[in-house]
Amino acid sequence: RLSGNLLCTQYVLHGQRRGSQEKEREELAAIRFRKPGDAPRLMNVVLPAQQESFSSKSGVEGLLVPALDQTVQENGGQRLLWHLTSPVAAWDPDKKAYQMNFHGRVGRSSSKNFQLLLADSNFQALREGVSDGGMCMQFGRQDESRFAFHVSYPLSLVQAFAIALSVFDDRVVESLRLYY
């Protein structure tokens, strides 16, 4: 289940119910959008590492949402969370628009197009020493009614699909031209 906040700026993907009381749900991803200015919005994503399982109880969020705001310590050198972030789009003065390199995999410009890169716990992209620049996901418009997405580890298809769905939600704060 993908649930969002009232402003449509933060989402949590919940998996199956866990526990004997079935009041706990496994957290599969936390997504937060930021729009600090007139540039395209930025996205931060936190995923549990495969060996870990995080749950929320009775609607109270577990570890993933707080990890969007603060650093989560590693457990004896073992990764607890994956952090992903969208790269900052570059301004093209000739076209007077922001643009990103989708390596020929996106057919049309759209505000819904995005990329996700591996990041550190402060959501700074990890590019050095990472093959393919740390790209984990690309999502973009192909034509008027079709979108395509490309996914790689550490994202699962369910997580990637939920992230893609989150960009289609109307953001009240953007229609009011507020920055968040």
Side-chain angles (χ1 to χ4, degrees), residues 15-126:
Q16 299 177 348
R17 294 197 182 272
R18 301 188 89 105
S20 60
Q21 301 295 327
E22 296 201 10
K23 291 183 179 179
E24 296 180 359
R25 282 190 172 268
E26 183 179 24
E27 290 182 348
L28 301 176
I31 307 156
R32 179 174 291 159
F33 291 94
R34 294 181 297 118
K35 186 157 177 65
D38 287 331
R41 66 179 170 252
L42 301 173
M43 184 186 320
N44 292 336
V45 177
V46 177
L47 310 169
Q50 287 184 338
Q51 61 268 49
E52 295 296 327
S53 177
F54 299 108
S55 299
S56 58
K57 301 175 184 175
S58 305
V60 178
E61 300 303 336
L63 184 62
L64 294 185
V65 171
L68 288 166
D69 293 321
Q70 60 193 9
T71 302
V72 175
Q73 299 298 320
E74 292 185 358
N75 184 12
Q78 194 174 33
R79 179 183 288 275
L80 295 177
L81 302 171
W82 288 101
H83 294 79
L84 309 176
T85 192
S86 57
V88 178
W91 176 256
D92 184 347
D94 296 332
K95 294 182 181 179
K96 297 184 179 171
Y98 288 94
Q99 64 181 38
M100 298 173 75
N101 183 2
F102 283 88
H103 310 285
R105 295 184 177 200
V106 171
R108 294 184 59 184
S109 296
S110 172
S111 63
K112 296 178 179 15
N113 295 355
F114 70 88
Q115 297 174 329
L116 287 175
L117 305 172
L118 287 172
D120 63 18
S121 60
N122 294 317
F123 295 103
Q124 300 300 313
L126 299 176

